[in-house]
Amino acid sequence: MREQIIYLAGDSTCATYPPEQAPMQGWGARLHRFLPADVRVVNEATCGRSSKSFIEEGRLERILQRIQPGDFLFIQFGHNDGKEDEARHTSPWSTYPRYLRQYIDGARGKGARPVLISPICRRHFDIDGLLLHTHGEYPRSMEALAAQEKVPFIDLHGRTAVAFKEMGDAASREWLTWLRPGEHPNYPEGIEDNTHLNERGAEAVARMAADAIDALQLIL
């Protein structure tokens, strides 16, 4: 029996990072640890891409050339769709769902199963310690599209927001790439990154995704 494959289309928060960028890591690099042994993850998520630029660079087409009936296409974009440059920008209630539909239609055209995944929450707290939501309408737009298209939806934005709120400002840094100067050889001057996960955070978010996969009974 042929193994089942999950293809991941997404951005830097999902991507696999090389050793020279450790401990920065995307959750897609850890997802396989929480799935059955006969399920393989092919992580095509790429740093800096939006739902638009991923398509226009031919990355979706390369996935569709390989994907087979019964496989999955997991789709997570939103971090870069809000950027102002023309190559990446989409509008949450118009071009964003229009591009996402190309992933959905492409997967279904190959007999594969699309799954929409909202972007993980950025770790930004205000002076009162309240978590700020920086993705605007993109998560809501994706959820609405999932309902319209009858596509499974994994709300990683909501799940990570709940986790960050529970941990609070200081403790939530332990999931992100926060390092003091001299703490790690890859970042000798230190780094304070509120977007990109570290290996611990990638593991935790991958577990969230796997829990959602189980709850939706996607893999039987």
Side-chain angles (χ1 to χ4, degrees):
M1 184 177 177
R2 180 180 174 275
E3 65 180 352
Q4 205 166 41
I5 301 177
I6 295 174
Y7 289 88
L8 302 179
D11 54 40
S12 58
T13 62
C14 182
T16 300
Y17 286 81
E20 58 268 24
Q21 290 182 262
M24 190 177 291
Q25 193 57 270
W27 65 265
R30 294 290 188 267
L31 181 60
H32 68 280
R33 298 187 178 193
F34 304 103
L35 299 177
D38 60 348
V39 177
R40 181 159 62 95
V41 176
V42 178
N43 192 3
E44 297 292 340
T46 306
C47 297
R49 272 56 181 188
S50 69
S51 62
K52 176 183 179 181
S53 63
F54 195 92
I55 288 175
E56 296 193 347
E57 292 174 3
R59 298 178 185 277
L60 173 60
E61 182 57 34
R62 287 196 286 275
I63 292 174
L64 297 179
Q65 288 173 358
R66 291 177 288 157
I67 203 165
Q68 299 291 317
D71 290 341
F72 288 93
L73 176 58
F74 283 19
I75 307 144
Q76 185 217 257
F77 291 101
H79 274 88
N80 299 304
D81 285 77
K83 301 291 174 65
E84 292 302 319
D85 57 289
E86 185 179 351
R88 294 185 291 179
H89 181 75
T90 65
S91 296
W93 295 105
S94 58
T95 48
Y96 180 58
R98 192 179 310 156
Y99 279 106
L100 292 178
R101 279 192 177 92
Q102 294 185 45
Y103 296 84
I104 294 168
D105 294 343
R108 285 174 167 169
K110 295 290 186 174
R113 291 173 281 181
V115 177
L116 290 171
I117 304 175
S118 59
I120 67 169
C121 186
R122 291 190 180 97
R123 188 205 148 274
H124 285 300
F125 289 84
D126 66 15
I127 58 173
D128 297 316
L130 299 176
L131 185 69
L132 300 174
H133 294 285
T134 64
H135 289 310
E137 294 290 293
Y138 291 97
R140 287 185 61 231
S141 173
M142 178 181 276
E143 185 174 10
L145 178 64
Q148 291 167 11
E149 296 291 331
K150 295 181 173 55
V151 172
F153 175 67
I154 295 175
D155 186 15
L156 280 190
H157 182 268
R159 287 171 179 257
T160 51
V162 168
F164 289 161
K165 288 176 184 177
E166 290 179 348
M167 287 188 285
D169 189 359
S172 59
R173 295 174 191 172
E174 297 177 6
W175 282 18
L176 280 298
T177 310
W178 268 66
L179 297 165
R180 297 184 301 275
E183 185 176 354
H184 196 285
N186 285 343
Y187 301 91
E189 297 180 1
I191 185 173
E192 295 182 0
D193 190 323
N194 289 308
T195 297
H196 297 98
L197 302 164
N198 60 21
E199 290 161 348
R200 178 178 175 180
E203 194 94 358
V205 176
R207 186 184 294 274
M208 289 180 184
D211 287 346
I213 290 169
D214 286 344
L216 292 167
Q217 297 184 321
L218 295 179
I219 297 171
L220 301 177

